Amino acid sequence: MIKGLNHIAIAVPDLAAAASQYRERLGAVVSEPTEQPEHGVSVVFVELGNSKIELLEPLGENSPIAKFLERNPQGGIHHICLEVDDITAASKKLKSDGVRILGSGEAKMGAHGKPVLFLHPKDFFSTLIELEQK
Ligand code: CO
């Protein structure tokens, strides 16, 4: 079902400081920040060639990463995103296997304009997994 790693998302309290840390200390190619109000985050992308790291800072009132940062004030790995060919088929299979899908249970448009869904961390060893259709 899974075909590769799309990204690792890390929640950070200060996006500019985090971007600079990756750029200056690790020599990483880091994008300019973009705001994604519909997802409640500001993001920079750390380019890794075949994958990327997304550094996320909360944006707006109901950011999905605000609670996470309350519990982890210095930041931390928020989720990993794995690619699948067919998200509808993946969703069907996972549900029939008893894996819990967050929210409505249906895929919705993700931050990269592709359908995504999130699997319950309790079903995957306390790791939030995002599935994204390739
Ligand atoms: Co993601």
Side-chain angles (χ1 to χ4, degrees):
M1 180 188 291
I2 58 172
K3 302 292 182 190
L5 174 68
N6 187 277
H7 61 270
I8 296 169
I10 301 177
V12 301
D14 180 338
L15 193 58
S20 156
Q21 183 77 346
Y22 271 80
R23 211 178 264 131
E24 304 305 323
R25 304 282 86 75
L26 297 177
V29 175
V30 183
S31 74
E32 288 306 309
T34 56
E35 295 192 347
Q36 301 184 342
E38 67 282 12
H39 295 285
V41 291
S42 298
V43 189
V44 300
F45 301 98
V46 179
E47 294 303 334
L48 300 176
N50 58 354
S51 186
K52 55 192 174 285
I53 296 171
E54 297 182 5
L55 303 174
L56 311 174
E57 180 186 64
L59 175 70
E61 291 296 301
N62 298 309
S63 174
I65 61 168
K67 281 234 156 56
F68 180 89
L69 277 171
E70 270 170 36
R71 290 193 303 270
N72 305 277
Q74 311 209 20
I77 295 180
H78 183 262
H79 65 267
I80 64 171
C81 177
L82 304 172
E83 295 175 345
V84 297
D85 284 330
D86 180 342
I87 202 147
T88 310
S91 153
K92 231 179 238 162
K93 165 87 169 77
L94 287 160
K95 277 187 215 164
S96 77
D97 291 346
V99 172
R100 289 165 287 181
I101 293 169
L102 299 186
S104 69
E106 302 305 320
K108 62 174 193 176
M109 209 42 81
H112 314 117
K114 295 184 176 162
V116 302
L117 51 78
F118 286 89
L119 307 181
H120 201 298
K122 288 201 169 139
D123 293 333
F124 282 94
F125 317 99
S126 303
T127 304
L128 178 58
I129 295 180
E130 177 180 25
L131 295 182
E132 180 173 296
Q133 187 161 293
K134 279 176 90 171

